[in-house]
Amino acid sequence: MSESTAASQRLAFFQNQLQNAPCAAEEPKIKTTMESMTEERQKATFDVRELTYFLDGGEKFTKIREKFMMELERDPTFRMYDMYDVTKDQIRERTMEKFRTIVHYVSAEPVPIFTMRMQTISLIDPGFWTRFGVHYGLFFGALRGSATSAQFSHWVSKGALALNGMVGCFAMTELGHGSNVAGLETTATFDEASDQFIIHTPTITATKWWIGGAAHTATHTVVFAQLIVRGKRYGTKSFVVQLRDTHTYKLMPGVNIGDIGKKMGRDGIDNGWIQFTNVRIPRTNMLMKHTKVSRAGEVKEPPMAQLTYGALIQGRVAMVVDSGNIAKKAVTIAGRYAAVRRQFSSNPHDAQETKLIDYAIHQYRLMPLLAQAYAFHFTGVETNKLYDDLMDKLESTQPDDETMGEVIDTLKETHATSAGLKAFCTWSTLSAIEACRQTLGGHGYSAYTGLATTYNDFAVHCTWEGDNTILTLQSGRYLVSCYREALAGKSQPEGVSYLNHLDTLLNLGCGVKTNEEILNFDVIQEAWGVVTANVVKKAGDDFEVSLKAGMSPEAAYEECSQARLAAAKIHSYGYIFRRFAQAVKSAPEKLQPVLTKLCLLYGLYSIEQNAGFFLQYRYFTPSQMDYVRGQVNVFCREVRQEYIPLIDAFNYSDYMINSPLGVYDGNIYEKYFDQVKRQNPVGGEHPYLPLIQSLLRRNIEDDEPLEDDDEDDE
Amino acid sequence: MSESTAASQRLAFFQNQLQNAPCAAEEPKIKTTMESMTEERQKATFDVRELTYFLDGGEKFTKIREKFMMELERDPTFRMYDMYDVTKDQIRERTMEKFRTIVHYVSAEPVPIFTMRMQTISLIDPGFWTRFGVHYGLFFGALRGSATSAQFSHWVSKGALALNGMVGCFAMTELGHGSNVAGLETTATFDEASDQFIIHTPTITATKWWIGGAAHTATHTVVFAQLIVRGKRYGTKSFVVQLRDTHTYKLMPGVNIGDIGKKMGRDGIDNGWIQFTNVRIPRTNMLMKHTKVSRAGEVKEPPMAQLTYGALIQGRVAMVVDSGNIAKKAVTIAGRYAAVRRQFSSNPHDAQETKLIDYAIHQYRLMPLLAQAYAFHFTGVETNKLYDDLMDKLESTQPDDETMGEVIDTLKETHATSAGLKAFCTWSTLSAIEACRQTLGGHGYSAYTGLATTYNDFAVHCTWEGDNTILTLQSGRYLVSCYREALAGKSQPEGVSYLNHLDTLLNLGCGVKTNEEILNFDVIQEAWGVVTANVVKKAGDDFEVSLKAGMSPEAAYEECSQARLAAAKIHSYGYIFRRFAQAVKSAPEKLQPVLTKLCLLYGLYSIEQNAGFFLQYRYFTPSQMDYVRGQVNVFCREVRQEYIPLIDAFNYSDYMINSPLGVYDGNIYEKYFDQVKRQNPVGGEHPYLPLIQSLLRRNIEDDEPLEDDDEDDE
């Protein structure tokens, strides 16, 4: 017998032993976490890949996203596994390193493709997304929106587009002033003698605050300041100011900048504060597309308030899209963990503990969030389309075109819709992230499992680009005005089309005869229509009462703010359900059954969460509401069957998920343990041995007082 | 004229100039933030100090708390202003430094006073509170609860009480096992030959995980492991195992320990993982108060399952108290900011912007949270009393006393109540912290304003010492069993006394005739009684249906879990309202008007939030519910009048608040700016100048390809 034959026989023997070992001992078969995951995948009744294509808008786009994921994963500056342990200073520097890679793509890729790349990056490294966005979205966006074409060319030639020779930031908010841009204190006073503006920070509260990129990155900024010419104030305008020497990075004279320091999240972005002390800039640094100041100090204001909504809408739409994407990440982590984590046993005959996901309450915690992630995804897609259509219209319509009125109406609608949706989707997603984090039990508190950081990074979405409460009130204000127009007989656009049927909806009452009728898109849509019409009517009527009592419109709006807030929230629920239902109807036939279940779950769960309104306005009877509650549980169970395939369809790579508990193969414990050990190697010296020794080995007798000696001195 | 007279005249002249300056220019008077705060204080209709005494349980206790605050503020190891910027390693070391101070007090102060000190510390440094609590609460608590008296004396003599010569930790949870203690995998196998136990971690999922103090602090641990004697398993018992040499801090043979690393919050505590590889300990290291193993390997199990509820209840009660305290901190920061921050103007004639707190929507965001903080405070006080009474009873009752049955009933009730309240109060407080953080607008995202860290530190309360969902289900299970007992005619204890009037409550229907009747403690209490009875009935009936369908009780409980969860939540609302109302009735007469408003606001707001149930069970009609909604706004406005005095009554020093936006004097902007500058000094070198220079000054031509030369080589 040759040596190699003997070796292979020994090998075969051991393999045999290993394979037979469990059977020989007749121990019950315990499934590994990977096996537990595999069995979930076998439950799919649809083709996961087909659903991915549908979500991405076609196979072509799926391929592009996969290309992005691979490129980022292999880029060493984009390594993410150690991000939870780096300090603020390290993360800042690393974020800067990434600029070079991305600058390469921004010049090579068409805008829609580059936008998709940035959407992918936002999921991986939201801090970088912001820091890069500050230059391109805010600084460059301000040039595009407010500079004359000569000014625009000038700054492009200086390197504003190529990000070569200059980096910009956007100095709007101040320490004492956020949402109210008209109330900013920084001044830009025209000095006729020198043909310059003097940019000045008059008080501590006028200090520019939260300025992304200011602390270490930007050489230039667009400053929002009060234009003052010959002693007269003309309101807030924007000015380009150089902050630093573009070679040495030393501050320019009169410019004082500091670091805002540690934040809740997104530490990759170097937010700073800026004070200007009589900083002089050429007159032509004022962005003069709208208001102009001549050499002689003549101020020419635009004939009508400029249409600057466009830029605002873009940011908000991006956040609706980001909400859907981040929500998908959160449910992926929580969902995969729930498929393989076992706890207690609901069946005493089972040798193994029960999967979390097989508990009714866990289904109730997760399945509606999965449905919501789908709902937000489709809403994001539709809102993007609305925005693109609007931009096309704006670009192709001249101020004196007949259709301009219609375009303005669309603009108003899109503005209000995106404001309401931005607030609604970011709030809901923030809660969803926290809810998902909590489903991880104790492990949700580890930085490495990802959702704590996701929460901290995401939270700022509720405040920036319009505080959510203020945006919701704006949306409510729009609804009140639409309601009043509808009462006056003016037909309302698609987003608020329910207002065109007020008479019917307000008098519909209990619209359903049998319980089973409820499980229907049209019925749920009608239910939301009735409730929304009523809640909007409530706000509109409150407003009317205040007006009749002699209040100014502003005061009347203030008086009905709680009603406006409620109206806007309920309106968003109905709007999102319609978008979801519409997307399901447009889906490939084979995908419809599973998507229909998801959509019904979303609709029923949302109704349950707002039961008060449906009962208040008597669309449902109490017993129908009981049925709805019951059906939420039924649909949770239904969706649970295929929830892993539904998660897989999001097609997020393990690199993007960046959580050992959300890995595709289900091997959660090994990967989690590996991650913890890699980031916190065992062994080594005790970090504060003398300190702990001196505590543990302290001489208690030292603490004892001198014994009191009652005897007199002798 | 003497020189000093001239100097004083000059001084007077300048002072006069300064004082007159604003008048001379006839500019409208703009209030400083401090003046804005002062005017709020003048609105108090009650004596703030008297309310503080009432909240603290008397002047004596207020004085003690003030002494604590001063001692901590002046202790250099407890400096907190720079905590938002220290690294995980620095915070770990600093947390250890604090041990020496506190060890001093633990030996000098009576337990109730020391408990108050720890409550104060929990607000200032929750990480330290936990790290210290691991030794005294968990390790030492386990000795007290599970060691025989001889064992207990042994460990005390080793230094367990004085924290001298040893520090303990508590090794219960494992990587793969949290809530299900019975499912732990670590084994403790008796080796008769050596009279030792062999402690062993058989798999990766059996690795002890999240063990507070294990990474760097503990020399000993109490391990939960499966007792195996002569091949037979006896379930999970506890064992003392030495982890490290108490002089060198080197690991003991067979012990492998690592750091769990970065967490969402509370980084001051060094959570670790532990693997035991056949670690041998003396048999007498098993804690044998209940189960005993003799030298000969005989296992003697206790006659009845041990009453270990006590320790669990204590931790949960502490978290109810902590919820109230942290909620007060959050509303103090948000409330004081809202009193001095101004934004937009609701009145065009006003020279100054409007205070946030004067907006209806801001009142709606904050006032219910203020009322809730008071509600949780009083609930904490009452729950503490319940716990103390229970402990007294348990200590004074012998197993064969006639009253033992009654004591067991009280134990069960307190256990279920504290479980439900722990979950309810920690969930609500976590949301309240986030809501308060968002009211700070952008500034809420700064680490220095405090609420981001407060959120991250507090979040773990929702998971540890019993996952909130599991606790809520337990509480719901208790309610179902009480409901079934009540149906069978057994009288139910105070906490669920509404079940003694099921017939009346279930058939009461719309209990109110005029709207005004609703503004009454008894009516609100009855309303909650009716709704709770109905929701509990729903869970009980669902359970019954499943039983009748042939399910096991376990399966039937699982089947009605969503109904149980709802029942427990609604029960907690009603319970907390009763505690609040009861406290108001016991308050000094002069405090009653303002506390009554707060309590009504809490009651009405809670009803509004759960409108669906009140309409579903027809306690209120839709038009009454509209009235409730309206009254919530009315009471928000009412409470707003005195909300700063109501916040001041919490009596938290600026040091405890540790947020420049929550300072007592209202000087928010200066203090915030100072804090940011102290932590991020201006000037100095650019942290990554070459990196940014190479990006900004890159030679674009380098990127350009060789021009294609179509000519043939010659």
Side-chain angles (χ1 to χ4, degrees):
Chain A
M1 193 190 278
S2 77
E3 211 174 318
S4 70
T5 317
S8 76
Q9 279 188 349
R10 272 202 304 278
L11 188 65
F13 171 79
F14 284 121
Q15 278 174 343
N16 203 27
Q17 284 261 316
L18 277 168
Q19 277 161 11
N20 290 333
C23 302
E26 280 189 15
E27 278 188 14
K29 173 80 179 114
I30 299 287
K31 283 181 194 131
T32 67
T33 54
M34 286 85 85
E35 287 164 344
S36 300
M37 187 64 92
T38 304
E39 73 185 4
E40 292 297 332
R41 298 219 156 90
Q42 287 158 355
K43 293 179 184 164
T45 62
F46 63 94
D47 183 56
V48 171
R49 197 70 183 161
E50 192 180 0
L51 180 51
T52 301
Y53 295 157
F54 178 62
L55 291 172
D56 283 343
E59 179 173 354
K60 181 185 143 196
F61 293 107
T62 299
K63 295 278 163 67
I64 291 174
R65 281 180 213 279
E66 288 174 346
K67 176 174 157 288
F68 292 159
M69 285 192 279
M70 181 193 279
E71 284 169 358
L72 289 161
E73 182 167 0
R74 293 184 181 176
D75 185 330
T77 60
F78 273 92
R79 67 191 181 282
M80 297 305 295
Y81 67 89
D82 60 350
M83 283 295 267
Y84 304 123
D85 277 294
V86 297
T87 65
K88 182 194 74 187
D89 294 340
Q90 288 168 334
I91 205 175
R92 292 259 187 99
E93 183 163 354
R94 200 188 283 186
T95 307
M96 194 73 230
E97 282 176 33
K98 300 175 192 181
F99 265 68
R100 186 177 280 270
T101 307
I102 302 303
V103 163
H104 169 72
Y105 293 117
V106 76
S107 49
E109 281 172 353
V111 172
I113 301 299
F114 186 73
T115 305
M116 280 176 61
R117 182 184 291 277
M118 287 304 284
Q119 282 173 10
T120 306
I121 287 178
S122 154
L123 273 158
I124 295 168
D125 186 351
F128 174 79
W129 184 68
T130 312
R131 189 150 169 194
F132 196 79
V134 161
H135 175 85
Y136 279 103
L138 299 180
F139 176 78
F140 196 72
L143 293 181
R144 210 164 31 198
S146 306
T148 64
S149 59
Q151 288 178 324
F152 185 71
S153 304
H154 171 74
W155 293 111
V156 167
S157 77
K158 289 272 203 175
L161 178 58
L163 207 84
N164 199 312
M166 68 181 296
V167 188
C169 67
F170 187 75
M172 186 169 79
T173 46
E174 299 175 353
L175 175 54
H177 310 275
S179 300
N180 182 11
V181 175
L184 295 173
E185 291 182 75
T186 304
T187 53
T189 311
F190 183 54
D191 178 44
E192 217 175 314
S194 61
D195 196 23
Q196 290 176 325
F197 284 108
I198 301 166
I199 308 292
H200 188 63
T201 303
T203 62
I204 185 180
T205 47
T207 307
K208 292 293 174 184
W209 203 263
W210 280 121
I211 312 308
H216 300 301
T217 317
T219 59
H220 289 71
T221 188
V222 165
V223 173
F224 278 61
Q226 299 290 345
L227 171 64
I228 303 176
V229 180
R230 294 179 186 164
K232 190 177 163 195
R233 286 174 172 256
Y234 291 87
T236 306
K237 313 293 167 200
S238 47
F239 305 81
V240 178
V241 181
Q242 185 169 351
L243 299 173
R244 294 178 165 97
D245 183 285
T246 61
H247 290 84
T248 64
Y249 259 71
K250 296 286 177 204
L251 294 177
M252 299 300 283
V255 174
N256 187 18
I257 291 185
D259 187 346
I260 290 278
K262 193 85 184 77
K263 302 190 297 281
M264 185 175 186
R266 296 193 195 227
D267 274 324
I269 171 115
D270 55 324
N271 296 81
W273 54 263
I274 312 176
Q275 286 179 329
F276 302 98
T277 308
N278 297 319
V279 174
R280 289 177 168 269
I281 56 168
R283 177 177 51 85
T284 48
N285 276 22
M286 172 172 159
L287 299 179
M288 298 205 202
K289 186 176 191 173
H290 309 293
T291 303
K292 295 179 208 308
V293 177
S294 73
R295 176 66 192 92
E298 278 169 312
V299 181
K300 200 171 144 200
E301 294 188 86
M304 57 188 285
Q306 56 259 45
L307 295 174
T308 52
Y309 284 150
L312 288 176
I313 297 174
Q314 187 175 23
R316 289 163 192 176
V317 170
M319 277 186 265
V320 173
V321 173
D322 202 45
S323 296
N325 287 340
I326 294 285
K328 288 187 258 176
K329 181 174 176 172
V331 294
T332 299
I333 297 171
R336 288 191 177 148
Y337 180 72
V340 303
R341 169 74 170 194
R342 292 168 182 274
Q343 197 164 281
F344 299 103
S345 182
S346 57
N347 175 1
H349 304 296
D350 207 333
Q352 200 162 17
E353 290 181 301
T354 303
K355 288 177 175 182
L356 285 185
I357 201 59
D358 283 324
Y359 289 101
I361 208 71
H362 212 84
Q363 292 164 10
Y364 187 79
R365 290 169 83 180
L366 266 188
M367 297 307 137
L369 298 181
L370 177 65
Q372 180 179 276
Y374 270 88
F376 288 1
H377 170 89
F378 292 120
T379 304
V381 170
E382 282 304 309
T383 317
N384 244 336
K385 270 190 210 151
L386 268 187
Y387 172 74
D388 289 343
D389 290 352
L390 171 67
M391 288 297 116
D392 286 350
K393 275 190 198 160
L394 277 176
E395 275 171 31
S396 62
T397 313
Q398 298 305 316
D400 44 5
D401 281 2
E402 266 181 33
T403 52
M404 194 63 196
E406 211 178 287
V407 175
I408 299 274
D409 278 354
T410 311
L411 179 69
K412 278 189 194 163
E413 186 203 349
T414 313
H415 178 250
T417 303
S418 67
L421 287 177
K422 180 270 192 184
F424 186 90
C425 293
T426 57
W427 265 333
S428 308
T429 298
L430 189 67
S431 303
I433 295 165
E434 176 61 24
C436 285
R437 192 191 67 73
Q438 288 190 25
T439 66
L440 304 180
H443 298 321
Y445 207 61
S446 165
Y448 309 113
T449 56
L451 289 178
T453 305
T454 303
Y455 186 91
N456 286 327
D457 285 343
F458 192 84
V460 73
H461 272 351
C462 299
T463 312
W464 65 9
E465 303 249 349
D467 175 86
N468 276 2
T469 301
I470 293 180
L471 291 186
T472 308
L473 287 174
Q474 278 179 6
S475 165
R477 188 176 181 134
Y478 172 76
L479 294 174
V480 167
S481 90
C482 290
Y483 168 74
R484 290 161 57 83
E485 283 183 5
L487 280 189
K490 188 180 168 192
S491 171
Q492 295 301 308
E494 196 276 334
V496 288
S497 56
Y498 53 86
L499 295 177
N500 296 328
H501 319 286
L502 273 176
D503 272 353
T504 322
L505 292 177
L506 293 175
N507 299 308
L508 202 61
C510 201
V512 185
K513 296 206 173 52
T514 68
N515 283 340
E516 289 66 27
E517 276 177 50
I518 299 172
L519 306 180
N520 178 299
F521 287 178
D522 294 336
V523 171
I524 294 176
Q525 208 156 304
E526 182 181 83
W528 279 110
V530 167
V531 164
T532 317
N534 274 286
V535 179
V536 171
K537 176 184 189 300
K538 173 85 171 65
D541 291 352
D542 283 4
F543 177 76
E544 197 67 36
V545 167
S546 298
L547 274 192
K548 285 198 177 134
M551 285 189 189
S552 69
E554 276 316 302
Y557 272 123
E558 167 61 15
E559 191 67 19
C560 70
S561 37
Q562 169 53 11
R564 271 194 287 155
L565 200 85
K569 281 194 181 179
I570 295 296
H571 169 77
S572 288
Y573 269 115
Y575 186 91
I576 291 168
F577 180 78
R578 285 205 305 284
R579 294 288 85 85
F580 195 172
Q582 191 183 335
V584 173
K585 284 178 192 161
S586 75
E589 207 177 320
K590 285 184 194 161
L591 298 176
Q592 295 219 1
V594 69
L595 289 178
T596 300
K597 283 179 199 164
L598 263 182
C599 187
L600 285 174
L601 174 58
Y602 181 71
L604 296 170
Y605 182 77
S606 318
I607 291 172
E608 188 194 8
Q609 295 301 301
N610 295 281
F613 289 112
F614 289 87
L615 293 166
Q616 173 103 21
Y617 298 116
R618 297 197 165 96
Y619 189 84
F620 290 127
T621 63
S623 88
Q624 286 169 345
M625 192 52 75
D626 258 343
Y627 176 77
V628 167
R629 283 184 222 277
Q631 286 301 304
V632 169
N633 288 328
V634 169
F635 276 89
C636 280
R637 211 172 297 171
E638 283 283 313
V639 169
R640 178 262 169 275
Q641 291 309 312
E642 300 187 75
Y643 91 108
I644 283 292
L646 282 165
I647 281 171
D648 287 347
F650 297 145
N651 196 30
Y652 285 178
S653 68
D654 282 355
Y655 164 71
M656 273 182 79
I657 295 294
N658 200 21
S659 166
L661 302 191
V663 290
Y664 183 83
D665 69 4
N667 192 13
I668 60 166
Y669 294 118
E670 270 189 40
K671 288 184 176 166
Y672 181 25
F673 201 8
D674 285 350
Q675 168 94 341
V676 166
K677 282 189 288 193
R678 185 173 50 209
Q679 292 303 112
N680 306 275
V682 294
E685 289 302 303
H686 193 289
Y688 37 84
L689 189 60
L691 175 67
I692 206 161
Q693 280 171 332
S694 78
L695 175 78
L696 267 205
R697 292 288 156 191
R698 71 192 188 283
N699 196 341
I700 290 193
E701 283 132 36
D702 283 354
D703 299 343
E704 284 175 11
L706 176 70
E707 228 170 282
D708 201 355
D709 189 350
D710 272 343
E711 289 173 47
D712 290 333
D713 288 347
E714 287 186 22
Chain B
M1 192 190 277
S2 77
E3 213 176 317
S4 71
T5 315
S8 76
Q9 278 186 351
R10 272 201 304 277
L11 187 66
F13 171 78
F14 285 120
Q15 279 174 343
N16 202 29
Q17 283 261 316
L18 278 169
Q19 277 162 11
N20 289 333
C23 302
E26 281 191 11
E27 278 188 13
K29 172 79 180 116
I30 299 286
K31 282 180 194 134
T32 66
T33 54
M34 285 87 85
E35 287 164 344
S36 299
M37 187 66 91
T38 304
E39 73 186 5
E40 292 297 332
R41 298 220 155 90
Q42 286 157 355
K43 292 178 184 165
T45 62
F46 62 95
D47 182 54
V48 171
R49 197 71 184 161
E50 191 180 359
L51 180 51
T52 301
Y53 293 157
F54 178 61
L55 291 172
D56 284 343
E59 180 174 352
K60 180 185 145 199
F61 293 107
T62 299
K63 295 278 165 65
I64 292 173
R65 281 181 213 278
E66 288 174 345
K67 175 175 158 287
F68 292 159
M69 286 192 278
M70 181 194 278
E71 283 169 359
L72 289 161
E73 183 167 0
R74 293 185 181 176
D75 185 330
T77 60
F78 272 92
R79 68 190 181 283
M80 297 305 295
Y81 67 89
D82 61 349
M83 284 296 267
Y84 304 123
D85 277 294
V86 297
T87 64
K88 183 194 73 187
D89 294 339
Q90 287 168 334
I91 205 174
R92 292 259 187 97
E93 183 163 356
R94 200 188 283 186
T95 307
M96 194 73 230
E97 282 177 32
K98 299 175 192 182
F99 265 68
R100 185 176 280 271
T101 308
I102 303 304
V103 163
H104 169 72
Y105 293 117
V106 78
S107 48
E109 281 172 355
V111 171
I113 301 299
F114 187 73
T115 304
M116 281 176 61
R117 181 183 290 277
M118 288 304 284
Q119 281 174 9
T120 306
I121 287 178
S122 153
L123 274 158
I124 296 169
D125 187 351
F128 173 79
W129 185 67
T130 312
R131 190 152 168 191
F132 196 79
V134 161
H135 175 85
Y136 279 103
L138 298 180
F139 177 78
F140 195 72
L143 293 181
R144 209 163 32 196
S146 305
T148 64
S149 58
Q151 289 178 323
F152 186 71
S153 304
H154 170 76
W155 292 111
V156 167
S157 77
K158 289 271 203 176
L161 179 58
L163 207 82
N164 199 311
M166 68 182 295
V167 188
C169 68
F170 187 74
M172 185 169 80
T173 47
E174 299 175 353
L175 176 54
H177 310 275
S179 300
N180 182 11
V181 174
L184 295 173
E185 290 182 74
T186 304
T187 52
T189 311
F190 184 54
D191 177 43
E192 217 176 316
S194 61
D195 196 23
Q196 291 176 324
F197 284 107
I198 301 166
I199 308 292
H200 189 62
T201 303
T203 62
I204 185 179
T205 46
T207 308
K208 291 293 174 184
W209 203 263
W210 281 120
I211 312 307
H216 299 302
T217 317
T219 59
H220 289 72
T221 189
V222 165
V223 173
F224 278 60
Q226 299 290 347
L227 172 64
I228 303 176
V229 180
R230 294 181 187 163
K232 190 176 164 197
R233 285 175 172 254
Y234 291 88
T236 306
K237 313 293 168 202
S238 48
F239 304 81
V240 178
V241 180
Q242 185 168 354
L243 299 173
R244 293 179 166 96
D245 182 285
T246 61
H247 289 84
T248 65
Y249 259 70
K250 296 286 177 206
L251 294 178
M252 300 300 284
V255 174
N256 187 17
I257 291 185
D259 188 346
I260 291 277
K262 193 84 185 76
K263 302 191 297 280
M264 185 176 187
R266 296 194 194 226
D267 273 324
I269 171 114
D270 56 323
N271 296 82
W273 54 263
I274 312 176
Q275 286 179 330
F276 302 97
T277 308
N278 297 320
V279 173
R280 289 180 167 268
I281 56 168
R283 177 177 51 87
T284 48
N285 276 23
M286 172 172 160
L287 299 179
M288 298 205 202
K289 187 176 189 173
H290 309 293
T291 303
K292 296 179 206 309
V293 177
S294 74
R295 175 66 191 92
E298 277 169 312
V299 181
K300 202 171 143 200
E301 293 188 87
M304 57 189 283
Q306 57 259 43
L307 295 174
T308 52
Y309 283 150
L312 288 176
I313 297 174
Q314 187 175 24
R316 289 162 193 176
V317 169
M319 276 186 267
V320 173
V321 173
D322 202 44
S323 296
N325 287 341
I326 294 286
K328 289 187 258 175
K329 181 174 177 173
V331 294
T332 299
I333 297 171
R336 289 190 178 150
Y337 180 72
V340 302
R341 169 74 169 193
R342 292 167 182 275
Q343 197 163 281
F344 298 103
S345 183
S346 56
N347 176 2
H349 304 297
D350 208 333
Q352 199 163 16
E353 290 181 300
T354 303
K355 288 178 174 181
L356 285 185
I357 202 59
D358 283 324
Y359 289 102
I361 208 71
H362 212 85
Q363 292 164 10
Y364 187 79
R365 289 168 84 180
L366 266 188
M367 297 307 137
L369 299 181
L370 176 65
Q372 180 179 277
Y374 269 88
F376 288 1
H377 170 89
F378 292 121
T379 304
V381 170
E382 282 304 308
T383 317
N384 243 337
K385 269 190 212 153
L386 267 186
Y387 173 73
D388 288 343
D389 290 352
L390 171 67
M391 287 298 117
D392 286 350
K393 275 189 196 159
L394 277 175
E395 274 170 31
S396 63
T397 313
Q398 298 303 317
D400 43 5
D401 282 1
E402 266 181 35
T403 54
M404 194 61 196
E406 210 178 288
V407 175
I408 299 274
D409 278 353
T410 312
L411 179 68
K412 279 189 194 165
E413 186 203 351
T414 312
H415 179 249
T417 303
S418 67
L421 288 176
K422 180 268 190 183
F424 186 90
C425 293
T426 57
W427 265 333
S428 308
T429 298
L430 189 66
S431 303
I433 296 165
E434 176 61 23
C436 285
R437 193 190 67 73
Q438 288 191 25
T439 67
L440 304 180
H443 297 322
Y445 206 60
S446 165
Y448 309 113
T449 56
L451 289 177
T453 305
T454 303
Y455 185 91
N456 285 328
D457 285 343
F458 193 84
V460 73
H461 272 350
C462 299
T463 312
W464 65 10
E465 303 249 351
D467 176 86
N468 276 2
T469 301
I470 293 179
L471 291 186
T472 308
L473 287 174
Q474 279 180 6
S475 164
R477 188 177 182 132
Y478 171 76
L479 294 173
V480 167
S481 89
C482 290
Y483 168 74
R484 290 162 57 83
E485 283 183 6
L487 280 188
K490 186 178 168 194
S491 172
Q492 295 300 308
E494 195 277 334
V496 287
S497 56
Y498 55 85
L499 295 177
N500 295 330
H501 318 286
L502 274 176
D503 271 353
T504 321
L505 292 177
L506 293 174
N507 298 308
L508 202 60
C510 201
V512 184
K513 297 208 172 48
T514 68
N515 283 340
E516 289 66 27
E517 276 178 50
I518 299 173
L519 306 180
N520 178 299
F521 287 178
D522 294 336
V523 171
I524 295 177
Q525 208 156 304
E526 183 181 84
W528 279 110
V530 167
V531 165
T532 316
N534 274 287
V535 180
V536 172
K537 175 182 189 300
K538 174 84 171 65
D541 291 352
D542 283 4
F543 177 76
E544 196 68 34
V545 167
S546 298
L547 274 191
K548 284 199 177 133
M551 286 189 190
S552 70
E554 276 316 301
Y557 272 123
E558 166 61 14
E559 191 67 19
C560 71
S561 39
Q562 170 52 11
R564 271 194 287 155
L565 200 84
K569 280 193 181 178
I570 295 295
H571 168 78
S572 288
Y573 269 115
Y575 186 90
I576 291 169
F577 180 78
R578 285 207 304 285
R579 294 287 85 87
F580 195 172
Q582 191 183 335
V584 173
K585 285 179 191 160
S586 75
E589 207 176 320
K590 285 183 193 161
L591 298 175
Q592 295 218 2
V594 69
L595 290 177
T596 300
K597 284 179 199 165
L598 263 183
C599 187
L600 285 174
L601 174 58
Y602 181 71
L604 296 170
Y605 183 77
S606 319
I607 289 172
E608 187 194 8
Q609 294 301 301
N610 294 283
F613 288 113
F614 289 87
L615 293 166
Q616 173 103 20
Y617 299 117
R618 299 196 163 96
Y619 188 84
F620 289 127
T621 63
S623 88
Q624 286 169 345
M625 192 52 75
D626 258 342
Y627 176 77
V628 167
R629 283 184 223 278
Q631 287 300 305
V632 169
N633 288 328
V634 169
F635 276 89
C636 281
R637 210 172 297 170
E638 284 281 316
V639 169
R640 178 261 169 275
Q641 291 309 312
E642 301 186 75
Y643 92 108
I644 284 292
L646 282 166
I647 281 171
D648 287 347
F650 296 145
N651 197 31
Y652 285 179
S653 68
D654 282 355
Y655 164 72
M656 274 182 79
I657 294 295
N658 201 19
S659 166
L661 302 190
V663 289
Y664 183 83
D665 69 4
N667 192 14
I668 60 167
Y669 295 118
E670 271 189 40
K671 288 184 177 166
Y672 180 25
F673 200 9
D674 284 349
Q675 168 95 342
V676 166
K677 282 190 287 192
R678 185 173 50 208
Q679 292 304 111
N680 306 276
V682 294
E685 290 301 304
H686 192 290
Y688 37 86
L689 189 61
L691 174 66
I692 205 161
Q693 280 171 330
S694 78
L695 175 77
L696 266 205
R697 293 288 156 191
R698 71 193 189 283
N699 196 342
I700 290 192
E701 283 130 37
D702 283 355
D703 299 343
E704 284 174 13
L706 176 69
E707 228 170 281
D708 202 354
D709 189 350
D710 272 344
E711 288 172 50
D712 291 333
D713 288 347
E714 289 187 21

